Every structure is written in C-alpha cells, then in structure tokens.
Amino acid sequence: MDTVVSGIRPTGNLHLGNYFGAVRNFIKMQQDYNSFFFVADYHSLTTHPNPADLNTSVRQVLAEYLACGIDPEKCTLYIQSDVPETAELYLLLNMLAYVGELERSTSFKDKIRMHPDNVNAGLLTYPVLMAADIIIHRAHKVPVGKDQQQHLEMTRNFVNRFNHLYGVNYFPEPEAFNFSEELIKVPGLDGSGKMGKSAAEGNTIFLVDEPEAIRKKVMRAVTDTGPVEPNQPKSESIANIFTLMKLVSDSDTVEHFESSYNNCTIRYGDMKKQLAEDMIRFIAPIQQQIKKFFADTELLHTIVSHGAEKAKESAAITVNEVRKIIGIKKF
Ligand code: AMP
C-alpha cells in the first residue's frame, strides 16, 4: 500500500486554501493509503511565535483537522515535534542540500522580500525539513497545493542524491498529489496571488470566520468594470472569483454566472453575495465541529499520544536504516 505524508503549520487558523489544496485530499486519501498527517510546529518556529501561544495554535490546527474529517482511526495524526527522529533526518539531509539550490527557492526569495529583518537559516533550510517530514515515512505521495510544487521537486532531488551517493534504492521518489489531477492554487480575494495565512487582511477566508466577516471580505473582493462584449476573456480578479465559486457553489450557480458574464448581464455584487452565502454554508458544519474538538482536551491528548507512538515507530525504522546506510554504526 502506498504511503502518504503531509502537514500544515500552526501559524494561524486553517483557511479555504489549506482546505482545498491539502486537507480535502487528506480526507479522501486516509481511506486507501497508509497515511500520516501532522501539525508542523517545528516549521512554524521560523516566524518566532510567542511560546505561550504555540500550544494553543497547535491545538487549534488539530481541532480544525478533526473537524474537517481527518479520522485518527484511519490515519496517523501527530505533532511534528513529538517525533524528534524528523530532526535527526533533517540534519543528515542538510549535508546533501546545496546552499545554491536552497537560495533559488521561490518561497525563500519571497520570505526575504517580506521579512528582510528575519532571514534565519531555518527559512533557508525549510525545504530540507519538509523533505525530512516526507521521507521519514518513506512516502510515495504528498497531498499539497500548487505553492509547494517546487519544494516537492527539491525533496525528489534530495532523495535521488541520497540513493545515488550511497548506491541504494532506499527512499521512493515522492510525488505531489491532488485528486483532481492538477495541483490547485486557491486564489485570495485581492485579485491576485494566493489565499494564505500571511496574505493581506481581508484576502483570506478562514474556517473559523463568522458569517458577517465572510460577507464583508467577499463583498470587498476586487472586481473589474465588467465585460463589454460577449465571451470576453476574464481578468485575473474575475477569474479568481469564478475559481472560488467552483469550489463552494453548485454547478448550476456557476453556470448561471458564467452565462451572465458571457452575455454581459453579470452583476458582480449579486455574484459576490451568492459566493459569500455558499462559503458560509460550506464552512458551517466544519465550524461547529471545530468548537467541539477544541474544547475536548482529553480526546485531543489521546489522539496525539497514539499518533506520536505510531509515527515514532515508523520514523525509527527509517532513521536506523539511514544511519546504517551512511555508516554510523555502534562499536
Ligand atoms: P501552509 O498553510 O503554508 O502551512 O500550507 C499547508 C498546506 O496548505 C500546503 O499543502 C499548501 O500547499 C496548502 N495551501 C496553502 N495555501 C494554499 C492555497 N492558497 N491554495 C492551495 N493550497 C494551499
């Protein structure tokens, strides 16, 4: 059976980008794959979260995972830092990662641009830690959004380099995965770019957003002056609104607005109203469950303890084998 690994950083609440880019796939994959899903708390340290808040953020993401339908009976659900074998593999992989290739990573360049005052080495080696997360369970498939495609490519490079350098075929080459064939990028509401935790305020719809907040954000979404001739190609901001609608609305609704766009009768205000109501309807059942899970400390404790045990068992096998392969042996 193929193995699947993926994680999300506890740097804020989950949003529709996380849901459609990653979590929706986790829920489907846990049925048919040997699945490991984790809360990436080591990764979140690059932004120096307040120690008093870190645990709450981890708990929040856990509650959100469970509310979305991740079932700890069907997969291994764990906290990254409960499996320190990941940190050892990260150290070993760092010897195979070249500074030049890490510096070329698009997300590293973005981070430098956005936070020039905090260009720490953890940011540079972020893709190495991500590779360690994936190959610690010798994964074949990684459900991620399009924004992680380049990191996945780097993981494949490290795997090939390891296998080649040591003349083994130990690690499978993992591939990025989405059920809809193509990896997806959920756009933000500002007319360009992706929905994300660090995006500008108002750009991102979180799973915990109250209906009024969703209405406000969607009504402010960037549009254009409207089509002036039939079947006119869509501007980026309008294409983004259609992309969001396809995710949360039924196909009749999408078709209705497609045809009114094509015959130039579309009213963006009506479309955004409809989109907001469909987002609210989509999120409502998840939101109720988030509150329930967040409050159940005992259940969360049982789930992550059991998850840590299973993840450590799998990780220890890999780390022991890797130590042997690279020549670290007991006297
Ligand atoms: P992050 O929130 O950056 O830790 O990302 C966690 C997961 O959500 C990764 O698999 C990302 O690819 C995915 N993700 C985050 N934002 C988006 C987005 N706007 N569209 C698609 N996938 C996304």
Side-chain angles (χ1 to χ4, degrees):
M1 189 195 277
D2 276 358
T3 295
V4 170
V5 179
S6 201
I8 295 187
R9 288 171 305 147
T11 47
N13 293 105
L14 294 199
H15 50 79
L16 288 178
N18 294 133
Y19 183 85
F20 288 107
V23 180
R24 182 175 59 168
N25 291 295
F26 300 178
I27 300 159
K28 287 192 187 173
M29 296 184 98
Q30 64 186 356
Q31 313 284 351
D32 305 319
Y33 293 88
N34 177 30
S35 308
F36 294 85
F37 303 126
F38 61 93
V39 183
D41 57 346
Y42 281 153
H43 278 287
S44 72
L45 299 177
T46 56
T47 58
H48 306 160
N50 182 341
D53 297 339
L54 184 59
N55 187 259
T56 311
S57 309
V58 169
R59 184 190 180 106
Q60 181 69 29
V61 172
L62 260 181
E64 289 171 340
Y65 267 160
L66 293 164
C68 289
I70 292 185
D71 181 352
E73 301 279 321
K74 297 192 180 128
C75 67
T76 302
L77 178 58
Y78 68 100
I79 316 286
Q80 187 184 30
S81 61
D82 277 340
V83 184
E85 287 81 355
T86 308
E88 179 171 349
L89 188 58
Y90 164 61
L91 180 149
L92 299 173
L93 280 182
N94 265 318
M95 312 303 168
L96 296 180
Y98 295 110
V99 172
E101 67 187 331
L102 296 172
E103 281 173 341
R104 280 195 297 278
S105 144
T106 319
S107 61
F108 179 64
K109 287 187 198 154
D110 287 347
K111 293 268 157 62
I112 299 183
R113 209 167 15 83
M114 287 186 313
H115 309 286
D117 50 335
N118 180 27
V119 186
N120 61 64
L123 278 179
L124 181 68
T125 57
Y126 190 100
V128 187
L129 181 55
M130 184 169 153
D133 291 326
I134 295 166
I135 69 174
I136 195 95
H137 304 300
R138 302 166 303 284
H140 303 90
K141 291 193 164 65
V142 188
V144 283
K146 204 169 173 47
D147 56 321
Q148 295 295 332
Q149 197 163 23
Q150 195 185 26
H151 285 163
L152 236 302
E153 208 43 58
M154 290 168 97
T155 301
R156 291 154 66 86
N157 290 340
F158 301 149
V159 158
N160 286 328
R161 218 171 279 160
F162 179 92
N163 286 343
H164 182 75
L165 182 66
Y166 295 107
V168 291
N169 195 11
Y170 184 62
F171 287 117
E173 218 180 292
E175 55 182 71
F177 184 84
N178 188 292
F179 266 100
S180 62
E181 306 281 313
E182 296 256 310
L183 296 187
I184 71 165
K185 180 182 102 173
V186 178
L189 294 166
D190 65 357
S192 65
K194 66 165 186 165
M195 190 172 279
K197 290 165 190 150
S198 45
E201 216 193 326
N203 198 31
T204 298
I205 302 289
F206 295 99
L207 300 182
V208 293
D209 276 348
E210 295 294 337
E212 225 16 73
I214 296 178
R215 289 189 189 106
K216 244 191 209 157
K217 287 184 195 178
V218 174
M219 292 317 284
R220 282 199 206 122
V222 176
T223 50
D224 58 20
T225 50
V228 288
E229 55 185 64
N231 302 318
Q232 187 179 313
K234 298 184 182 88
S235 64
E236 191 182 1
S237 57
I238 299 305
N240 286 352
I241 293 179
F242 273 98
T243 301
L244 289 167
M245 192 168 234
K246 280 182 198 141
L247 294 171
V248 294
S249 305
D250 58 39
S251 53
D252 287 350
T253 306
V254 179
E255 258 168 51
H256 164 77
F257 287 103
E258 285 281 5
S259 63
S260 59
Y261 179 87
N262 285 331
N263 64 28
C264 305
T265 57
I266 194 160
R267 288 154 60 140
Y268 291 141
D270 291 348
M271 185 180 185
K272 291 200 280 189
K273 259 190 211 145
Q274 180 71 45
L275 176 62
E277 294 315 311
D278 288 341
M279 282 178 171
I280 293 166
R281 192 181 35 80
F282 182 84
I283 286 173
I286 299 178
Q287 210 167 74
Q288 280 180 355
Q289 296 286 318
I290 294 176
K291 290 184 187 143
K292 192 188 86 189
F293 283 115
F294 189 81
D296 197 339
T297 305
E298 204 177 314
L299 178 71
L300 294 179
H301 174 76
T302 308
I303 289 171
V304 293
S305 309
H306 183 57
E309 213 175 287
K310 286 203 290 177
K312 274 176 80 71
E313 194 182 311
S314 156
I317 295 172
T318 308
V319 167
N320 285 335
E321 206 54 45
V322 167
R323 281 170 154 250
K324 254 191 250 160
I325 292 170
I326 67 182
I328 298 177
K329 293 211 171 92
K330 289 208 163 57
F331 283 95

